[in-house]
Amino acid sequence: MQQTQKGNIFIISAASGTGKTTLVSRLLKNNSDLRVSVSHTTRPPREGEQHGVHYHFVPKENFESLIEQKAFLEHANVFGNYYGTSIAAVNQLSGQGFDIILEIDVQGAEQVRRTLPESIGIFILPPSFEILASRLKSRATDSEEIIATRLAQAHYEIEQAFDFDYIVVNEDLDVAEADLLHIIRSGRLKKSAQQTFLTNLLENF
């Protein structure tokens, strides 16, 4: 009986306001063999966000209990709120053969790379600092103080792009989405990703 090929794990990170969430949403909408691991967070939902769809929104006490249970592949405190990726959720999706997107920050990405060195890292850059600042202000979801904090953090986060396997500049959404899809498709063709198929082919030749 042919085994299901385990899916690849793609880490997608970016500074806040770069358009990461929009790009990931477009990839998921247009590619049925992709799944995103829905993160846990202690921050309150923004307008339009749904529990279990955008995040698993949990109280701080619950999150800290899950940390003690070692339930997270990675977790971090970002601007006073916890974020974390469930190990069980990632294993379940990968075992079903789906390629998985981990939409996480640079702290989480570093933790995942240590645990899963076979994961593929993609960093999304803004075309310029000025455009990044404009995007953050146009969202109208954060105070001026939080926007200033995010912009100060952005320089550090962008420096971490050197640790990723691929860089995508999000100047045009269509182009950036196409670039991401090329990376994902190339990941599926790597020898390590095709190992099960190759073994089965030889066994039944």
Side-chain angles (χ1 to χ4, degrees), residues 32-72:
S32 61
D33 47 5
L34 278 176
R35 293 289 186 274
V36 68
S37 177
V38 179
S39 299
H40 289 63
T41 185
T42 58
R43 77 158 171 78
R46 292 173 180 154
E47 185 177 353
E49 289 184 331
Q50 300 176 39
H51 176 75
V53 176
H54 299 92
Y55 285 97
H56 295 294
F57 297 99
V58 298
K60 182 180 178 182
E61 296 77 14
N62 291 23
F63 196 104
E64 291 176 340
S65 176
L66 290 169
I67 293 175
E68 292 176 3
Q69 297 170 36
K70 302 188 184 303
F72 294 120

Side-chain angles (χ1 to χ4, degrees), residues 97-133:
F98 293 110
D99 285 336
I100 305 162
I101 293 175
L102 303 183
E103 185 187 342
I104 54 181
D105 71 354
V106 295
Q107 297 178 58
E110 182 181 0
Q111 294 176 52
V112 173
R113 283 196 301 269
R114 287 199 302 264
T115 306
L116 301 173
E118 70 277 12
S119 59
I120 300 166
I122 307 169
F123 198 92
I124 302 173
L125 291 175
S128 68
F129 176 82
E130 289 76 18
I131 290 175
L132 179 63

Side-chain angles (χ1 to χ4, degrees), residues 185-204:
R185 286 175 174 166
S186 68
R188 293 171 185 163
L189 299 175
K190 289 176 65 177
K191 181 181 68 175
S192 57
Q194 294 289 339
Q195 192 73 37
T196 299
F197 175 79
L198 177 58
T199 301
N200 287 333
L201 178 65
L202 290 171
E203 288 177 350
N204 296 283

Side-chain angles (χ1 to χ4, degrees), residues 13-29:
S13 298
S16 180
T18 306
K20 168 170 55 71
T21 299
T22 299
L23 284 166
V24 169
S25 296
R26 289 173 62 138
L27 284 171
L28 293 172
K29 180 180 178 181

